[in-house]
Amino acid sequence: MWFFRRKGPSGFSSSSTAEEVTQGIDATGLTAIVTGASSGIGTETTRVLALRGAHVIMGVRNMAAGKDVKEAIVKEIPTAKIDAMELDLSSLSSVRKFASDYKSAGHPLNILINNAGIMATPFLLSKDKIELQFATNHIGHFLLTNLLLDTMKKTARASSKEGRIVNVSSEAHRFPYRGGIRFDKINDPSGYSSWAAYGQSKLANILHAKELSKQLKEERANITANALHPGAILTNLFRHSNVLNGLVNVLGKVVLKNVQQGAATTCYVALQPQAEGVSGEYFSDSNISKPTSQAEDELLAKKLWDFSKDLTE
């Protein structure tokens, strides 16, 4: 149970909430994008960032749901600055349109939270003929980050404030296909495992942050890139597994984090002064954690980067 967990070096634990890890932080003047903001930890991340004064742009696939979330947050926090923009991470054209519209609007960008995700779906291909979990969880965010990187660099220079890129990964990165990433079989239904494919996409999130962090350090850009595990959370991600969904409904309130706790590590990495200058790391329970050796493999990270670039050009 979460309240028995000890605090880590940061002073926070698995039971800490997003509000607790950002207590006293003033994010006024910061602009953040949160993908997948219309439900679960994306909604709570949006709410807490807005509560701390940030201007939050929600990247949402369902604009009606996004409008409802915005209205609910503004009703609770009248000073909240929130906008919603349409974004389907499984579609490269949608990602390109979002980035183009964002830049045309002239928004600065201090914080990019790559949160949206799907889990353990049956084998499906995206509109771009890429396996759906890999397309949504990794490729869409890879392209989005690349398209907005210049905006983040300009914002960091103009504001003299550190930019932060946050990839929401998962402990599921420990259970990908053998070898980690099936580069030669990404879109091959043979041997497809819904859970291994999910693990593969979450491993890709960490490797993406790792390689991006390396490149940003080489450029001496004032931007960090990190990945994190939000915790096992009671959200609708479990909807594709009837057995798990049943177990979650029965046991969830005892063994899983609630949404307020689930959004904590994301908000910690995005806003906490303790995380300033920290880049290329993997966080869990608002503390630096140790991922698998595959997730720290620089050659694998570079190979994935090149592979992803080819898929998005």
Side-chain angles (χ1 to χ4, degrees), residues 32-37 57-61 85-103 107-109 111-117 128 134-153 164-168 205 208 212 223 305 308-309 311-313:
I33 289 174
V34 180
T35 70
I57 287 88
M58 304 189 298
V60 295
R61 190 172 52 183
M85 290 175 60
E86 189 171 0
L87 174 62
D88 179 355
L89 270 302
S90 71
S91 164
L92 297 180
S93 63
S94 175
V95 173
R96 289 190 177 98
K97 184 177 188 307
F98 176 93
S100 176
D101 290 348
Y102 189 91
K103 287 186 280 191
H107 294 304
L109 183 56
I111 302 164
L112 173 59
I113 299 178
N114 292 319
N115 164 78
D128 306 285
F134 193 74
T136 306
N137 298 351
H138 168 62
I139 290 294
H141 283 127
F142 175 86
L143 177 60
L144 179 68
T145 304
N146 279 2
L147 291 174
L148 294 174
L149 204 51
D150 279 345
T151 301
M152 289 198 76
K153 288 174 182 176
R164 298 190 184 184
I165 296 166
V166 184
N167 284 358
V168 178
N205 291 152
H208 172 216
L212 179 57
I223 301 171
W305 184 279
S308 304
K309 205 144 179 53
L311 279 178
T312 54
E313 284 180 346

Side-chain angles (χ1 to χ4, degrees), residues 4-18:
F4 288 132
R5 296 294 176 87
R6 290 183 178 178
K7 293 178 180 178
S10 69
F12 301 108
S13 71
S14 57
S15 63
S16 300
T17 66

Side-chain angles (χ1 to χ4, degrees), residues 107-110 150-161:
H107 294 304
L109 183 56
N110 304 92
D150 279 345
T151 301
M152 289 198 76
K153 288 174 182 176
K154 287 174 187 172
T155 303
R157 283 195 298 268
S159 66
S160 296
K161 292 178 180 175

